[in-house]
Amino acid sequence: MKFFVDTAEIDAIAELNDLGMVDGVTTNPSLILKSGRDILEVTREICDLVDGPVSAEVVATEAEAMIAEGRKLAQIADNIAVKVPLTWDGLKACKVLSGEGNMVNVTLCFSANQAILAAKAGATFISPFIGRLDDINTDGMDLIADIRTIYDNYGFETQILAASIRTVNHITESARIGADVITAPPAVIKAMASHPLTDKGLATFLADWEKTGQKIL
Ligand code: G3P
């Protein structure tokens, strides 16, 4: 399973990248806003830091304008994945941009049918948004499972990029189902290391060690 980091914060990406936890990065207009950075500048910095795909999202809503923006974003670096929304125009842009040899991440996917269309339009990645489906009282994980089944049924090569991940359980479930990639905020990835029994066990070991009066160094 590949780990993408869902942020445009350079320091957070660098920290996880140094640990080998970063196979790619995803950004979107909201994350660019949060970073307070210029999209072209910050995306270039991320691409310099990370070897894997770095998703940068278009903001036009008509296909021709999306394609023009996508071409400009793709010039930033070889590892750019152009992100387009799952609209009919976004699918047109996906077809053209992927046909030109660009990686394309089709985002804002909320149904299996949308995921089928993205695969047929040549998407490199499909981004189903788990957390936002949970928000409306449905189970986002069901969508990941449906897309996995359908893509496997027909040998679609589009990678399932589980997005809008809010909890560590979303990551475990995505791994269990067989999502190709998860993209999560740095805090959620770091939370995967936490377990209360680890903390409790360590406290006991350290207390017992203190009683031995020994030192290793
Ligand atoms: O990867 C998509 C992500 O940035 C959206 O997450 O938490 O805003 O639904 P969220």
Side-chain angles (χ1 to χ4, degrees), residues 54-111:
V54 174
S55 290
E57 189 161 341
V58 303
V59 290
T61 54
E62 291 179 6
E64 282 309 313
M66 284 184 189
I67 292 163
E69 288 182 355
R71 286 177 180 146
K72 180 162 182 180
L73 292 170
Q75 282 171 2
I76 294 173
D78 289 343
N79 54 336
I80 284 288
V82 178
K83 210 170 177 188
V84 299
L86 212 159
T87 58
W88 200 249
D89 280 77
L91 292 169
K92 287 183 190 170
C94 174
K95 180 69 179 164
V96 170
L97 291 166
S98 61
E100 291 174 354
N102 300 295
M103 289 185 283
V104 179
N105 177 358
V106 180
T107 189
L108 290 168
C109 171
F110 294 97
S111 78

Side-chain angles (χ1 to χ4, degrees), residues 158-194:
T158 299
Q159 295 180 51
I160 301 173
L161 197 175
S164 182
I165 281 182
R166 311 266 179 79
T167 69
V168 291
N169 284 346
H170 282 154
I171 298 179
T172 312
E173 285 304 309
S174 295
R176 202 193 307 276
I177 291 165
D180 300 286
V181 192
I182 57 96
T183 188
V188 177
I189 292 176
K190 290 174 86 169
M192 292 170 75
S194 297

Side-chain angles (χ1 to χ4, degrees), residues 135-150:
D135 287 345
I136 58 162
N137 205 22
T138 56
D139 188 345
M141 297 318 310
D142 287 347
L143 176 58
I144 303 293
D146 282 350
I147 299 172
R148 179 75 285 153
T149 301
I150 291 165

Side-chain angles (χ1 to χ4, degrees), residues 1-47:
M1 165 177 263
K2 285 179 266 187
F3 272 18
F4 289 1
V5 192
D6 198 29
T7 186
E9 306 292 336
I10 295 286
D11 290 350
I13 296 167
E15 184 191 3
L16 289 168
N17 196 43
D18 287 347
L19 280 174
M21 301 290 179
V22 179
D23 300 303
V25 172
T26 50
T27 67
N28 62 38
S30 302
L31 294 172
I32 296 295
L33 173 69
K34 201 171 164 193
S35 76
R37 300 282 311 275
D38 172 82
I39 182 172
L40 298 179
E41 276 178 24
V42 75
T43 306
R44 190 170 295 112
E45 265 182 58
I46 297 169
C47 288

